């Protein structure tokens, strides 16, 4: 049994008959989604579930034993559990969590009623990631990518090191999900910071252009970096995602 870092525990808040799955990002933890998750429950009354993805919130050594099928599998289990209990289910996620959000919407269109991917990776990699994957021989670890946050003094609970083996895994997930984007038909609110140092903002435009939903909305953030759910625009994200899901709950 691995030890979970304080603040990285999974969370769940029981509310009304609408469920919201919130998914954290690569090498990060549920800490990055707790403000949004708590707010969606407290302010809008939703039932909210925030799973801890395998290998996350523990240690880089533990993460190194996991891959994209483990991360995707945990998100799937949480989705199916909510679907069995709730009238409608929505999904939102940050970074790789946004990629998982897109993946679930593409593969389970009858279960996911609306999505709000935040800073989602959808195919266009940063120069840093591209360079890291080209290093030969590859190192075992690279510096961590967490805490790309504009707000002073705010720190993301994320690994200080990134397992290179897991970088390869996440690129497979991103590539696979990009190939599925045209299968997404549910209402979608795409959110991205204009200044994101981890996932290029162009990813947001690719998502908007490639999905086939009739209701597609795009929200640009002007005062945050990549970890927007902990940054200066976190209250704006909560209000817009909550209002969007509330509208979709009555549609």
């Amino acid at each position: 049994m691995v030890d979970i870092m304080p603040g990285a525990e999974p969370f769940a808040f029981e509310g009304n008959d609408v469920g919201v799955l919130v998914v954290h990002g690569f090498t990060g933890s549920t800490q990055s989604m707790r403000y949004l998750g708590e707010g969606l429950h407290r302010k809008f009354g939703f039932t909210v579930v925030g799973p801890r993805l395998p290998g996350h919130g523990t240690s880089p050594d533990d993460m190194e034993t996991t891959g994209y099928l483990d991360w995707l599998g945990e998100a799937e289990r949480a989705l199916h559990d909510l679907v069995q209990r709730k009238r409608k289910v929505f999904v939102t996620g940050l970074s790789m969590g946004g990629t998982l959000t897109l993946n679930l919407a593409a593969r389970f269109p009858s279960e996911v009623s609306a999505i709000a991917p935040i800073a989602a990776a959808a195919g266009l990699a940063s120069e840093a990631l591209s360079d890291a994957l080209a290093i030969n021989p590859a190192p075992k670890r690279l510096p961590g990518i967490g805490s790309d946050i504009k707000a002073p003094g705010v720190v993301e609970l994320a690994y200080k090191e990134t397992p290179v083996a897991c970088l390869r895994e996440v690129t497979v997930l991103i590539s696979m999900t990009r190939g599925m984007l045209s299968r997404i038909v549910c209402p979608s609110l795409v959110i991205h910071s204009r200044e994101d140092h981890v996932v290029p903002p162009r990813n947001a435009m690719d998502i908007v252009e490639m999905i086939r939903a009739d209701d597609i909305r795009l929200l640009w953030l002007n005062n945050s970096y990549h970890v927007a759910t902990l940054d200066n625009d976190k209250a704006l994200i909560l209000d817009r995602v909550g209002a969007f899901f509330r509208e979709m709950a009555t549609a």
Side-chain angles (χ1 to χ4, degrees):
M1 190 72 178
V2 296
D3 293 330
I4 300 174
M5 295 187 293
E9 302 87 356
F11 58 80
F13 308 112
E14 191 65 25
N16 61 23
D17 63 351
V18 175
V20 180
L21 173 63
V22 296
V23 190
H24 68 78
F26 181 71
T27 74
S29 69
T30 56
Q31 176 248 11
S32 66
M33 301 302 289
R34 185 171 286 273
Y35 173 87
L36 178 58
E38 289 180 345
L40 290 173
H41 169 68
R42 182 187 66 256
K43 189 171 182 177
F44 295 92
F46 299 127
T47 292
V48 178
V49 173
R52 180 184 65 85
L53 301 179
H56 291 73
T58 51
S59 70
D61 287 340
D62 182 39
M63 184 179 186
E64 212 163 38
T65 67
T66 67
Y68 77 90
L69 289 176
D70 300 302
W71 313 329
L72 185 57
E74 184 63 26
E76 284 182 24
R77 281 189 287 274
L79 171 66
H80 296 326
D81 177 71
L82 275 174
V83 167
Q84 291 175 5
R85 301 190 293 116
K86 299 300 171 181
R87 177 175 60 86
K88 282 189 177 183
V89 175
F90 307 130
V91 186
T92 182
L94 171 71
S95 192
M96 182 183 77
T99 306
L100 292 170
T101 296
L102 295 166
N103 192 288
L104 294 175
R107 294 170 53 233
F108 304 105
S110 63
E111 298 185 12
V112 178
S113 296
I115 57 172
I118 305 165
L124 179 61
S126 66
E127 288 187 22
L129 174 58
S130 299
D131 288 341
L133 292 171
I135 298 174
N136 189 13
K140 185 178 177 67
R141 302 279 167 79
L142 286 170
I145 59 172
S147 293
D148 184 36
I149 297 172
K150 186 175 184 178
V154 180
V155 178
E156 180 187 12
L157 184 58
Y159 294 146
K160 303 300 182 185
E161 294 180 316
T162 301
V164 171
C166 293
L167 278 179
R168 300 191 189 102
E169 290 288 318
V170 76
T171 58
V172 174
L173 173 65
I174 293 168
S175 177
M176 172 181 66
T177 301
R178 183 180 178 87
M180 298 176 176
L181 290 180
S182 64
R183 291 159 55 180
I184 297 175
V185 296
C186 66
S188 304
L189 171 61
V190 180
I191 303 173
H192 214 112
S193 297
R194 294 188 185 275
E195 190 173 1
D196 184 325
H197 306 106
V198 178
V199 176
R202 174 65 210 184
N203 280 270
M205 295 306 301
D206 286 353
I207 295 168
V208 167
E209 292 170 3
M210 295 178 71
I211 66 178
R212 296 176 58 207
D214 293 330
D215 187 345
I216 304 173
R217 310 178 193 190
L218 176 60
L219 173 62
W220 287 113
L221 305 176
N222 294 310
N223 201 26
S224 297
Y225 295 158
H226 179 64
V227 192
T229 50
L230 293 177
D231 215 331
N232 293 314
D233 292 307
K234 66 180 183 180
L236 172 64
I237 293 172
L238 170 59
D239 287 344
R240 293 292 290 272
V241 171
F244 175 64
F245 285 164
R246 182 170 58 192
E247 178 186 347
M248 294 303 108
T250 59

